[in-house]
Amino acid sequence: MIFSSVQSNLGLAFNHKKNSLGFLRFLFAVLVVLQHSYILGNFGNEPLLSLSKGQLSSGSLAVHAFFIISGFLITRSYISNPNIWRYSWHRILRIFPGFWVCLLVTSFVIAPIAYINVHGNTSGYFLTSDSPFSYVFSNLFLSIKQPDIAGLMASHPEKSFNGSLWTLEWEFFLYIAIAILGSLSILTKFRWIVLAIFLVLLLTYLLDSCHCRIILLYWTSNRVPPLLVLFFSGAVFWLYREKVYWNSIIFVSLVLVTSVAIYLNLYAWVEPLTLPYIILWLSINLPLSNFDKHSDYSYGIYIYSFPIQQLLVQFNLDEFGVGFYFMLSLLLTMPLAILSWHFFEKPALQFKNKKINSINYFVSKVKK
């Protein structure tokens, strides 16, 4: 049964081998494409943004959910196998191979097509100051220092060839944070410190949301990114899973609280407290546990959809309406996501355990 009032806790309810997180990641990747369809095609506000009076969009919901899921699973991953070398190697293999190939495909396949559409040929494409070569090397380590190639995005609503990639730097930064906390035994012996980190981030975020900043908490010139708060909310849910009551009544109550908060323009205040439970409840109770049994295309959709959508704008294909533009974006992105998974992401993950053995061997020799 999807809905049940039987009392349980998150630790008992969550089965890491049988859950719907794969489906949710795929759904959220598609929602990102939908959000960007409205932005890149210059179609105005998308439906959820209008319904929530500007508080919530399909894209922000999706990215925030990604970080909740990531905080939950990454914390579980480290605790399940607390080897910092293995953990780091797994995280590198999961994020970098697909990312690097995406940079190459964007630079030497997608962007040249856009360049030919504008200039009629590729002469000069490789000689610009913001060349495809500098695009690859400038962005090689997740920080997007060169957003455009050959000035092709100058006339677009968004000036970046791939505006989705900015979250990957935050993602990897938080991977490192978990590695540090794990190596210091904080995740296992002093989990209250993680809870304290979450509460401080939450308080700072809430104060920023109402513009009530105080000097002790104002530690950057910008607002505290909600991504940090939500990632640590996922981490806290895993660390305190045996203390989190788990039933449908709580889920329905939190959905109602969230709905009322949106109506009262208070969504930013409740999101870090309600959305993690809602997302994790769906992952446990939706009957779609076999969705990603053989493949996971969510990462590929996320990293390839933006440049594909920018290319479609170059050819004025957004002029046929947002529905056509969205569906065509998804249709052209899927083959790249499929190729990315089967030829780069999945093969890279097969090295998870092979390489770590040599690393452990090297470390043991150094210690001797």
Side-chain angles (χ1 to χ4, degrees), residues 10-255:
L10 176 56
L12 295 174
F14 182 77
N15 183 340
H16 74 279
K17 293 183 178 181
K18 189 177 181 180
N19 58 72
S20 298
L21 286 174
F23 167 76
L24 290 176
R25 283 195 295 256
F26 182 89
L27 173 64
F28 295 138
V30 172
L31 287 180
V32 169
V33 181
L34 176 64
Q35 166 79 31
H36 290 159
S37 295
Y38 280 86
I39 295 173
L40 300 179
N42 204 20
F43 291 107
N45 291 339
E46 50 99 1
L48 185 57
L49 192 64
S50 298
L51 287 171
S52 65
K53 295 174 285 188
Q55 299 175 82
L56 178 65
S57 68
S58 299
S60 64
L61 171 63
V63 171
H64 292 183
F66 276 137
F67 274 74
I68 291 169
I69 294 170
S70 182
F72 185 79
L73 292 180
I74 294 302
T75 304
R76 176 194 169 275
S77 175
Y78 191 96
I79 293 176
S80 299
N81 195 345
N83 180 309
I84 192 169
W85 298 104
R86 185 183 298 275
Y87 167 87
S88 301
W89 183 235
H90 287 186
R91 303 283 71 76
I92 290 170
L93 288 175
R94 187 63 188 98
I95 203 167
F96 276 101
F99 170 74
W100 284 334
V101 173
C102 181
L103 292 181
L104 292 171
V105 171
T106 301
S107 297
F108 300 107
V109 179
I110 299 175
I113 295 173
Y115 193 88
I116 291 172
N117 182 58
V118 175
H119 300 282
N121 55 64
T122 57
S123 61
Y125 173 68
F126 298 98
L127 303 177
T128 58
S129 58
D130 53 348
S131 72
F133 300 106
S134 62
Y135 178 82
V136 172
F137 288 107
S138 296
N139 303 331
L140 202 57
F141 297 105
L142 300 181
S143 180
I144 307 303
K145 297 177 181 178
Q146 181 185 320
D148 195 5
I149 303 174
L152 290 168
M153 297 295 105
S155 61
H156 286 230
E158 291 292 320
K159 310 305 179 185
S160 174
F161 228 111
N162 198 337
S164 295
L165 299 181
W166 70 272
T167 63
L168 300 184
E169 184 179 13
W170 282 106
E171 180 87 3
F172 202 74
F173 167 77
L174 289 164
Y175 289 171
I176 295 172
I178 291 297
I180 294 171
L181 294 172
S183 64
L184 296 175
S185 299
I186 289 173
L187 297 180
T188 50
K189 297 180 181 179
F190 307 100
R191 62 181 182 175
W192 63 268
I193 294 178
V194 180
L195 177 60
I197 291 172
F198 166 69
L199 292 175
V200 170
L201 288 172
L202 176 63
L203 178 59
T204 310
Y205 168 72
L206 294 178
L207 289 171
D208 279 345
S209 297
C210 67
H211 308 290
C212 302
R213 300 173 181 173
I214 57 177
I215 191 65
L216 291 177
L217 294 176
Y218 187 66
W219 43 282
T220 67
S221 59
N222 300 314
R223 294 175 129 192
V224 174
L227 304 185
L228 271 70
V229 184
L230 294 166
F231 181 92
F232 274 98
S233 74
V236 167
F237 264 80
W238 177 257
L239 292 177
Y240 287 88
R241 59 195 178 279
E242 80 283 356
K243 296 184 180 298
V244 178
Y245 292 119
W246 207 254
N247 62 40
S248 300
I249 295 175
I250 297 176
F251 167 76
V252 173
S253 300
L254 291 179
V255 170

Side-chain angles (χ1 to χ4, degrees), residues 327-339:
M327 293 304 297
L328 184 60
S329 299
L330 203 55
L331 182 65
L332 295 179
T333 299
M334 279 306 301
L336 292 175
I338 293 170
L339 290 172

